[in-house]
Amino acid sequence: MNVTVEELAVLQQQQARIRNMCIMAHVDHGKTTLSDHLIAANGLIHPKMVGELRYLDSRDDEQARGITMKSSSISLLYVPGAAQRPEGPRSVSHEEKLSAGYLVNLIDSPGHVDFCSEVSTAARLSDGALVVVDAVEGVCIQTHAVLRQAWEEKVKPCLFINKMDRLILELRLPPEEAAARITAIVAHVNMIWSAFDSEHFMREADAVLAAEQQQQQQLQQARDGDGGDGAEEAPQVPDQDSEDVFQPSKGNVAFGSAGDGWAFRLGQFAAMYSAKLGAKPAALAAALWGDWAYAPKERRVVRARGRAGQGGRRTMFVTFALEPLWRAYSVCDGQDAKTVLGPIVTSRGLSPQVPAKLLEGGDPRAALKAVLRAWLPLSEAVLGMTVEHLPSPAAAAPLRLPHLMDGGSNTALLGVAGSSSSSSTVYDLIADAGNAAEQQQQQQQQLDEGTLAEVQQQLERTYSALCASSSDPDAPLVVFVSKMVSVPANLLPRAPGDAAAGGCGHAQGEVFLAFGRVFSGVARAGARVHVLSSAYDPRLPGQQRQSAVLRGLYLMMGRALERLPAVPAGNVCAIAGLETAILKSATLAGSPAALPLAPMTFQAAPIVRVALEPSAPGDMAALAAGLKLLNRADPFVEVGLSEKGEHLLGAAGEVHLETVVKDLRERFARVDFQVSPPLVAFKESVLSGGDAVEGQVVKPARVVEAATPSGCCVAAAAAGGASGLDLAESVYGPFSGQVMGAVAAACRRAVLEGEPRLVEALYLCQVQASAEALSGVYAVLGRRRARILAEEMREGSGAFVVHAYLPVEASFGLADEMRRRSSGAASASLLLSHWERLQVDPFFVPSTEEELEEYGSEAGGPANLARRLIDAVRRRKGLPVEEKVVAKATKQRTLKRNV
């Protein structure tokens, strides 16, 4: 089914037929391959290239590494039932596309933890999320993170369990065990979402460990159970999952294999068997999931007690959904393809789509893929689930608006929309910023009473338009830009008469486009808008506001861009002309009387830094300019200057750091520079009584003082945090250097008196390995100061999962060493967990005989971990370090032989 830009532009006008969706998953769970199949349904990819082209991975390093690093958007057309027609989707006419088609704005997000900021930008612009989970690996670390991101952004999720072919071909599981594994995955995801709703877990790492522990307890209870009692029960639709978010019986869970190109929902099998079994499709779909079996003799649905093969019946999910697929995959084990697959082709009427010579050929896997893609097309199951269960922009706007409005005044803001009798309520929603001096200056710049009333009316009108996602021509314009995207200038389509692509260019051939979504009104090329920062206050229109012109609007089609004259509310787009007005994200409004949308929240922080120095001193200006461009192009990178004047670059992790350094060298700065070893942030703390370990003596808190040279100012500080300042006379300004020096000296002495401790960041490390690779995994983790938390075996497979806390300082090169020591049989995933205090005094020196006997004479030297980390930081900064230059005062014998 070929789609034109004009058809997509027409569908942009119909909000009821628009779905904004992002794909979220752990790394290597099949997001991009799934996207390729959905794109191929629109004729943009040849069916033979699906899964190999990786259409939305447009960067060279993405193709080389095989992972997604940047979120990419594409607009697709979906016509219900078109993929299952005997004549194929090409039979859909132009009129049917416009009357029955749906516009799906798909955003593919990365799964690697280092690029979690891209997940945040994708979730902000979406109304729904498709969560992909590997059927073999199950719920992993990043699956928790993306589920939390979807929950925080208030997007409605659907679930797709991918790689079910691995259960058949790799694990060799029978249908009953495969069904048990799939059921456990759905229950696990539901448990995570319910934990977010109850706000039981405050930290992501706690949620991961608690979910794993609860899952193991449930499996143990299932093993110890007796399979149910023998009491008679009337067959009825089970209602124990009524509160679950993901319910296969309701159709918001799909199962399939993106690699082989097939997927199904329970409703599809219910429609196939409803006439044969004499049941309604809705009732049959509800019975296909859960502990229900079909009794062919009685021709009714009964409770499936016990396990299959042990006096119990097979569930209907196994009998009617999994067993036909397992029989089809038997051709990979030597069964005749025509004998196994021929009945499927005949009974389902797939002859026009599956040629007879393909079944008689010598490649059974190719025949299997062709039959399954024609029988259970992946695009029909996934896009049908998207259209049916994800909301349109107008339906999602009232639910998401409280989160999109900034600050903690969401409840009050909702009350303003319903009542406009008070003329001062809107301004109670805007937080007062700054200190007393700034507030006095702001009061002088505030609008008069008449203008304030007009601003209030405009705010209420804007809020009403946001609630309805209004696309009326006169509706207030509100656009949220989630990130800036750098693209080569030659990729932008030029309008007639344009001197440069998009109306703006760059000397190095890079153009910045704003990736955003229109939440209200209609964005038009050439219109002037107001760029509002997150701190903008409509009472002070002269602050935190800039003016810019939308020089071009583009429809993002993966690697390609298509020019649009206008974009109505509810659609995503790329905007040119904002490269000087927006650094990373902002809100665009048609009037200064608007409230900015809330800034995005990220799951991690850029805790890894490096220092950059150009190889040639003359390239310093080019390096500084390149860093500015990189800071705008990446939503998560941090750029700054150290006290020594070094350029510092902050990233989320090792892979993210390698990516941004490569972009800086090849695209933005285009000069050669030196990169220092990774600099990991540490924090300082003091040991209090509640933090001491058993048997450790804590010094009582003592107040220390420091005075200025003149003695007119005395600063006092205590290790517990209390401080005071005593001015003998009013001779110092509020920011006098002497006063600041005295306070700093007092605080420093208080920290040294209060048992100073070093605080380091820890990752939650999840390692998946085979039994043969466990020894190498433990050896690698042991050398890197990891603390093992748990080890468990994946049910139904020989894979082991190890959870450990790993210091960030020791995490560099972990993936390469793990792969080398395990011969590729182990893979590690990292998630920033927490900061932890090292329970060792960095300045401890054994002095008494007991201490020397217990700790030895080197306790304050190399054996002291905290001191070793501090000395490494001091060496990097060029500060003196107390160390022995000569270990022994005896002449060392040379090993060189001169004779």
Side-chain angles (χ1 to χ4, degrees), residues 167 199-200 405 416 438 577 800 855:
L167 300 178
E199 297 182 356
H200 184 66
M405 302 309 295
V416 171
E438 294 175 344
F800 284 82
Y855 302 108

Side-chain angles (χ1 to χ4, degrees), residues 318-343:
V318 172
T319 303
F320 294 104
L322 297 188
E323 286 187 348
L325 295 171
W326 259 245
R327 284 196 300 269
Y329 270 92
S330 64
V331 301
C332 299
D333 296 331
Q335 297 290 334
D336 182 61
K338 187 175 182 180
T339 303
V340 176
L341 302 177

Side-chain angles (χ1 to χ4, degrees), residues 219-289:
L219 290 175
Q220 186 63 33
Q221 293 173 0
R223 296 191 191 100
D224 298 340
D226 57 359
D229 54 17
E232 290 291 334
E233 295 186 38
Q236 57 184 357
V237 177
D239 58 353
Q240 65 269 21
D241 294 337
S242 58
E243 298 299 327
D244 290 341
V245 175
F246 303 99
Q247 300 185 47
S249 58
K250 291 188 175 180
N252 64 348
V253 179
F255 314 89
S257 170
D260 289 347
W262 59 269
F264 69 90
R265 293 187 295 155
L266 297 186
Q268 294 176 256
F269 280 105
M272 296 178 190
Y273 295 114
S274 60
K276 181 178 180 180
L277 300 179
K280 295 181 180 179
L284 188 56
L288 279 173
W289 185 256

Side-chain angles (χ1 to χ4, degrees), residues 179-212:
R181 174 183 286 269
I182 294 170
T183 304
I185 292 175
V186 175
H188 194 175
V189 178
N190 278 317
M191 182 186 64
I192 295 171
W193 194 272
S194 62
F196 295 154
D197 284 337
S198 61
E199 297 182 356
H200 184 66
F201 300 111
M202 299 306 295
R203 291 193 301 113
E204 189 61 42
D206 291 340
V208 174
L209 297 176
E212 294 288 345

Side-chain angles (χ1 to χ4, degrees), residues 685-694 696-698 755-760 785 787 835-844 855 863-867 869:
S685 179
V686 294
L687 184 64
S688 60
D691 300 324
V693 297
E694 183 178 358
Q696 188 173 10
V697 180
V698 181
E755 298 284 348
R757 292 292 184 268
L758 195 67
V759 184
E760 65 175 352
R785 300 191 292 115
R787 186 167 76 249
W835 292 81
E836 185 172 280
R837 181 187 291 108
L838 292 176
Q839 298 294 341
V840 57
D841 187 356
F843 304 108
F844 171 73
Y855 302 108
N864 191 321
L865 174 61
R867 186 54 179 261
L869 296 176

Side-chain angles (χ1 to χ4, degrees), residues 84-98:
Q84 294 180 312
R85 296 181 180 180
E87 59 274 13
R90 294 182 179 273
S91 61
V92 181
S93 63
H94 173 72
E95 293 74 15
E96 188 178 2
K97 293 178 184 178
L98 300 183

Side-chain angles (χ1 to χ4, degrees), residues 20 82 103 125 180 235 300 311 327 408 451 535 620 696 846:
N20 296 311
L103 173 63
L125 305 184
R300 66 189 184 95
R327 284 196 300 269
T451 308
M620 181 64 75
Q696 188 173 10

